[in-house]
Structures are given as structure tokens and as C-alpha cells.
Amino acid sequence: MPYILGIAGSVAVGKSTTARVLRALLARWPDHPRVDLITTDGFLRSNAELERLGLMQRKGFPESFDTARLLNFLASVKAGLERVDAPIYSHFHYDIIPGQTVAIERPDILIVEGLNVLQPARLPKDGEGIPFVSDFFDFSIYIDADPTVIEAWYVERFMRLRQTAFRDPAAYFHRYTQLTPDAARAKALEIWRTINQKNLDENILPTRQRSRLILRKSANHRI
């Protein structure tokens, strides 16, 4: 039965980097050499579905995920099935890649990284139990930092991507390369404050105390 480790936290706080470092370190231990990593971005609803549901401006909020599919995936992994497929998300295209999956084949440890992995489910009216994503975790980590620091990291990342990945005309956010540096910085702050900070305040930060371990980062990324 795989050991499942959940990593939660805000956009731009360093979840993905932490998950990759942990994967590399844990895989060096002789008693659990097979360590896999997935992000819950793959369980976001497609852009077309989000548009249809009027949720495009709430992408990343709990309701924008196909939680049932994520729960079924985790239940299958925890049950020890030989192979369980997870959908793939492209940050370049800002959407799910249709028909593409990554295979999880009975790892010793599975790291699950995402914004809302510690979010409790809504209580049912009929008394039937609804599992939480975190019910499948053997251990959970919350990556924490002051919101003003995370905002600065988000803007810094946005400006860096504007000079790299966004420059490709096929990139979803290519249009932001046409902005002046000041206008681009203003746009990054707008996106952060109207979407990502709102999600942090309403949905992510309240789950911090549900984690087993809180890693608090300073402005220079020291833990």
C-alpha cells in the first residue's frame, strides 16, 4: 500500500519546488526507492467546461476541480492497483491536455501537491459520509509564508515568465509580452489580488492547521 504525502499552500509559495526536492531525497532511501509525484492541476476541469459553468475567473478555487475524479484516483492508488492513470495539465497552454495521462504504478511513496488538498468536503444533507482528499494522506505539509511575500514572489515569477515561456506565440499568456513592464507588473498584481489572494484567504489559508507539518518560509526562502 503506497504511503501518500500531501503538500498544500498558495500559488507561488514554492509547493512544486518542495515536492520535487522531497521526491529526490526520499527516492535515495533504500527501503522506498520508487517515489512518484502528481499535482492536482491535472484534476482541474477543462477551460471549456469552466467557461460553460461560468467558473473561469475562479480557476484554482475548490469548485473548479473534478474532486470526484481525484478521490477515485487516490482511492485506487491507496488500494494498491497495479496502474492508475492521472490526467495531465499544461501550464504552457493553461489547460488540461486531452487524452494524455501519466501512469502511477504502485509507488512506495506518492506525493500529491496542490492548492486545496487539505480542503474539507461539504457536509452532506442526507448523513452519508463524503471522503476528503486528505483522508488518503499518511502525512501532510503546508508551505506557509506572509501573504505580502507570496505576492512579491508571484509578481517576480510573472515578470520572469513574460521574458521566457510567455514569449512563445502558442503560449496562453503570450498577450502579456506586449505590455510595458509597468503595465505587466500592474496586471500581475491585479491577477494576484482578485484571484490568487482571494483563493488563499477564503480556501487555502484556513486549511493550514489541518496539516501535520507547517513549513514557514521567509522572504529569502529560508525555512
Side-chain angles (χ1 to χ4, degrees), residues 12 145-155 192 217-221:
D146 187 278
T148 59
V149 171
I150 306 175
E151 177 184 282
W153 291 339
Y154 178 82
V155 173
W192 168 258
K217 296 177 68 178
S218 62
N220 63 359
H221 297 278

Side-chain angles (χ1 to χ4, degrees), residues 20-196:
R20 288 195 296 269
V21 169
L22 276 175
R23 181 186 189 183
L25 292 174
L26 291 170
R28 295 179 181 179
W29 291 25
D31 56 341
H32 44 67
R34 185 177 180 85
V35 183
D36 283 340
L37 166 64
I38 66 156
T39 72
T40 58
D41 291 344
F43 295 90
L44 280 162
R45 300 181 188 277
S46 68
N47 286 354
E49 187 174 5
L50 291 174
E51 291 281 9
R52 180 176 61 81
L53 296 172
L55 293 174
M56 202 57 189
Q57 292 302 309
R58 293 182 66 81
K59 190 170 184 176
F61 285 65
E63 61 269 29
S64 66
F65 289 87
D66 188 344
T67 305
R69 186 175 186 182
L70 176 56
L71 289 170
N72 287 333
F73 167 81
L74 291 172
S76 297
V77 170
K78 202 66 172 175
L81 297 189
E82 289 291 335
R83 171 177 172 145
V84 187
D85 292 327
I88 296 177
Y89 183 84
S90 167
H91 288 277
F92 180 82
H93 295 292
Y94 196 59
D95 203 356
I96 300 298
I97 304 179
Q100 292 193 27
T101 59
V102 59
I104 303 300
E105 299 176 330
R106 299 193 69 181
D108 300 301
I109 299 174
L110 175 65
I111 300 173
V112 180
E113 174 257 305
L115 297 171
N116 301 295
V117 294
L118 298 177
Q119 184 82 21
R122 292 182 175 85
L123 295 177
K125 294 181 179 180
D126 58 6
E128 293 293 328
I130 297 176
F132 302 170
V133 169
S134 59
D135 286 344
F136 296 97
F137 295 164
D138 296 287
F139 196 83
S140 56
I141 300 173
Y142 184 95
I143 312 298
D144 194 26
D146 187 278
T148 59
V149 171
I150 306 175
E151 177 184 282
W153 291 339
Y154 178 82
V155 173
E156 178 185 352
R157 184 177 72 177
F158 184 95
M159 298 301 286
R160 184 172 62 250
L161 288 171
R162 184 172 165 271
Q163 297 300 321
T164 54
F166 291 175
R167 297 186 71 83
D168 190 319
Y172 182 86
F173 291 113
H174 174 70
R175 59 188 180 277
Y176 294 141
T177 63
Q178 311 304 314
L179 300 176
T180 65
D182 286 345
R185 187 171 296 275
K187 185 64 179 178
L189 283 170
E190 177 190 341
I191 295 171
W192 168 258
R193 292 171 180 171
T194 60
I195 300 176
N196 295 311

